[in-house]
Amino acid sequence: MGVDLGNLLAKMDILSTSDHASVVSINIFVALLCACIVIGHLLEENRWMNESITALIIGVCSGIIILLTTGGRSSHLLVFSEDIFFIYVLPPIIFNAGFQVKKKQFFRNFSTIMLFGAIGTLISFAIISFGAMKIFKNMNIGSLEIADYLAIGAIFSATDSVCTLQVLNQDETPLLYSLVFGEGVVNDATSVVLFNAIQSFDLSHINSSIILQFVGSFLYLFFLSTVLGVVAGLLCAFIIKKLYFGRHSTDREVALMMLMAYLSYMLAELFYLSSILTVFFCGIVMSHYTWHNVTESSRITTKHAFATLSFVCELFIFLYVGMDALDIEKWKFISDSPGTSVGVSSILIGLILVGRAAFVFPLSFLSNLMKKTPYEKIEIKQQVTIWWAGLMRGAVSMALAYNKFTSEGFTQFRANAFMITSTITVVLFSTVVFGLLTKPLVRHLLPSSKHLSRALSSESTTPKSFNVPLLDNGQNSEADLGSHVPRPTSLRMLLSTPSHTVHFYWRKFDNAFMRPVFGGRGFVPFVPGSPIEQSMHQTE
């Protein structure tokens, strides 16, 4: 009995020591997050820096200190897991992106965004995969199969939409922000769908049947993921409109919106769909319908709560990536050939540059052919900025690389070690170098904010402007909606101005069927004694 008690006490002591170490690690990590916020605020006016780069640099410096204090055993406080990233950290970022995005700009440029985000990603994926296959076979990096090369294409086709939020301003460059950010979200979703499709197919013997199945699986996942997000957003809007929780508690409204958004993400994961695409469109639908069904205090709360969660998750990602860049376990497998490692990373960066240029400029030309007004066309300087701003690679690439080339957090084979370390190098280089130069490039190539605002104001007063929302953000009155769009009178008009036509019929359908059922601006539930009734009396 004494022996058993002694063993029990020993085990308890080990557990308590482990728990204490975890608490210490979490305390230090949270302190570093606070430091990122403070230093990022102090550097906010700096023309070169942004919070992503600040967090990355702090992570690298912290990793160096931890590496020295542990005698070279470890460089990070927490163990990275792609499951933690995809399940807990990424959802708030993507949902907030959909919830806060200016839908007027997003849907106004929807065709161009889909061209860049879907077709462009496929072009980049093909170039990177083919280039890596041709070049890496002649290098001494170990054996890679066809599925590995295709996975490399999917991994390095994923742009960093998080860093895009830091380097472009939605108010100063609305068109560029809409295109680069919208493309980034669709691009991430496309890359993840591609990656999952590659994982689920036997690509050792490729034939026409396998290719058709691959394309069908890709389209199926893309479409079904979008539908799931829209359905989840509409269901939340319907429940809140019918039950109107705000009569008793605004907390219930906020909690339901958060949980329904997260439920849509997890359902997509459960059914092996693109959870990124699902939660993004769930955010768009919630901001169009659900947000207008809640009380004023809930609107303010949700807006800032979602933004805060997204902000903290972004800092967490870049801080950890900076720490993990110095993980000794990953680098020791290639320590005998540093030159080859630099060569692999350089080749990947070169393929990323070529792959992005191969679709940005041709697809911009195609997009310009469909535009009628000069303000809608993408000028060559804007094309260069779009090309450059999308070169950054971030946490999605890291997570996919971990998923493909590691086992339980460390590499097992020489080729896998090269791919992991090269991914880390590419992410660090692209985020720091490309990220540092993006702001100065935007200021150099694009007109000043005064000229831009003047151009936008003149555009908005033009009767034939394309400046018409498919889904509005609640900034325009109901009387304004539909007043600028002429009804299509012939098939010729439908073909010549498809955006006008889609906008016109969507608003007509939205006002007649969707808003009366699901709520939204102009169809807020009327409850006696509610803040809505009070505001109505005040306006009267």
Side-chain angles (χ1 to χ4, degrees), residues 8 58 67 99 196 198-199 219 237 259 281 400 416 446 482 486:
L8 180 62
I58 291 175
L67 200 62
F99 193 77
N196 291 337
I198 291 166
Q199 299 288 83
L219 295 175
L259 292 174
F281 277 97
L400 293 179
N416 290 3
L446 301 181

Side-chain angles (χ1 to χ4, degrees), residues 236-238 240-241 244 253 289-295 299 518-521 523-525 532:
C236 182
F238 182 78
I240 289 181
K241 179 177 180 291
Y244 197 69
E253 292 180 321
Y289 296 110
T290 315
W291 192 76
H292 294 285
N293 294 342
V294 300
T295 59
R299 294 179 192 177
F518 299 104
R521 186 172 177 84
F523 289 92
V524 185
I532 297 156

Side-chain angles (χ1 to χ4, degrees), residues 139-300:
M139 301 177 68
N140 182 27
I141 63 170
S143 60
L144 291 171
E145 299 178 354
I146 181 67
D148 297 324
Y149 290 115
L150 294 177
I152 290 171
I155 289 167
F156 291 102
S157 296
T159 62
D160 184 15
S161 55
V162 173
C163 204
T164 302
L165 300 176
Q166 305 289 340
V167 297
L168 291 178
N169 189 288
Q170 189 167 202
D171 298 316
E172 292 180 2
T173 54
L175 175 63
L176 276 182
Y177 183 94
S178 172
L179 290 176
V180 177
F181 167 67
E183 178 231 327
V185 174
V186 178
N187 167 282
D188 285 347
T190 305
S191 298
V192 173
V193 170
L194 273 174
F195 185 84
N196 291 337
I198 291 166
Q199 299 288 83
S200 60
F201 279 93
D202 180 15
L203 300 172
S204 56
H205 303 287
I206 298 181
N207 52 43
S208 58
S209 176
I210 291 291
I211 293 174
L212 287 175
Q213 290 180 29
F214 183 84
V215 173
S217 174
F218 173 79
L219 295 175
Y220 166 80
L221 290 174
F222 208 92
F223 175 75
L224 217 59
S225 302
T226 303
V227 170
L228 178 59
V230 171
V231 169
L234 291 176
L235 180 61
C236 182
F238 182 78
I239 292 173
I240 289 181
K241 179 177 180 291
K242 287 298 180 183
L243 300 182
Y244 197 69
F245 295 104
R247 281 178 294 183
H248 306 294
S249 171
T250 58
D251 298 336
R252 293 173 185 169
E253 292 180 321
V254 178
L256 186 65
M257 288 179 70
M258 288 183 172
L259 292 174
M260 285 294 291
Y262 191 66
L263 179 63
S264 72
Y265 186 91
M266 294 310 299
L267 282 174
E269 286 287 321
L270 179 65
F271 295 114
Y272 302 101
L273 303 175
S274 172
S275 49
I276 293 176
L277 208 60
T278 296
V279 79
F280 177 71
F281 277 97
C282 180
I284 288 178
V285 172
M286 280 193 178
S287 67
H288 184 60
Y289 296 110
T290 315
W291 192 76
H292 294 285
N293 294 342
V294 300
T295 59
E296 187 64 30
S297 58
S298 293
R299 294 179 192 177
I300 297 171

